[in-house]
Amino acid sequence: EFHVSDNLEKRLFKISKADEVFNTLKVQDPLIKIEIGISHAKALMVLNKLEEAKAKLNSINNFALKQPSSLEIEKQRASILLCFGDIALDLAEYDDSIEYHNQALAKYIELFGENSLEAALVYKNLGRVYSFTDNFQASLSNWEKALEIYERIQPDDKFIDGKSKRLTSIQTVIS
């Protein structure tokens, strides 16, 4: 319930409460703790409390690193890396953002393969991050990779077809 509130401050309050309640449990599922921590950090990010979000992510990342490796833990680790990348982007720390996104990409490719929706999401995010730098070719290249994956996975999606046409227009302008 904590992640569906329209009021952002209320959402943050509910997530903090969920975190408190979770910490009182005798038996704690590490995946739930990580999920609550990521949700908490994302709520802080939306409220532009980036340093608090970064601290929360550092804490939950350290916890995740201490857990035995499993598919679910590694998926959460990739999600944490994406959040770090988004915070770095919001702080205009583009090199750090690119590094975090590349780490997340490597993790997602390891877990799901190059042609997964997860990898496409990171390629799309990298395209966005590079668009804030002078490296427009890297931006375009990453958006193309994302689009290729989306087209391969969902070939009949008209939304993707529209993006493909816009990307072709952008390529023409850049060239």
Side-chain angles (χ1 to χ4, degrees), residues 42-163:
K42 286 180 178 180
L44 289 166
M45 289 165 60
V46 171
L47 292 168
N48 207 31
K49 297 180 178 184
L50 300 177
E51 292 303 324
E52 282 182 64
K54 193 189 273 190
K56 185 65 179 176
L57 278 178
N58 275 321
S59 170
I60 207 66
N61 188 47
N62 289 335
F63 176 80
L65 287 170
K66 293 175 186 171
Q67 303 309 306
S69 183
S70 71
L71 176 62
E72 293 304 315
I73 292 289
E74 295 307 312
K75 286 194 302 192
Q76 297 290 25
R77 287 267 304 117
S79 183
I80 291 168
L81 290 167
L82 281 178
C83 288
F84 274 128
D86 290 342
I87 290 171
L89 175 60
D90 289 345
L91 292 170
E93 297 169 352
Y94 305 123
D95 291 339
D96 289 344
S97 182
I98 290 166
E99 179 62 30
Y100 283 122
H101 279 93
N102 279 322
Q103 289 177 33
L105 178 62
K107 177 91 41 203
Y108 279 138
I109 289 172
E110 175 188 325
L111 296 171
F112 301 108
E114 175 77 29
N115 295 309
S116 63
L117 288 174
E118 292 82 2
L121 168 69
V122 182
Y123 281 125
K124 184 179 78 168
N125 285 356
L126 277 166
R128 183 173 51 111
V129 175
Y130 276 112
S131 74
F132 289 93
T133 70
D134 290 335
N135 195 342
F136 296 115
Q137 191 55 48
S139 179
L140 185 60
S141 174
N142 280 285
W143 279 330
E144 285 174 336
K145 287 177 187 175
L147 187 58
E148 287 171 11
I149 294 169
Y150 288 133
E151 287 175 334
R152 194 172 300 120
I153 293 173
Q154 302 166 321
D156 298 327
D157 191 327
K158 292 181 184 359
F159 180 72
I160 291 171
D161 186 46
K163 285 185 181 259

Side-chain angles (χ1 to χ4, degrees), residues 17 20 25 36 39 42 75 102 135 140 169:
K17 240 358 184 184
E20 285 177 30
L25 299 176
I36 291 171
S39 294
K42 286 180 178 180
K75 286 194 302 192
N102 279 322
N135 195 342
L140 185 60
S169 299

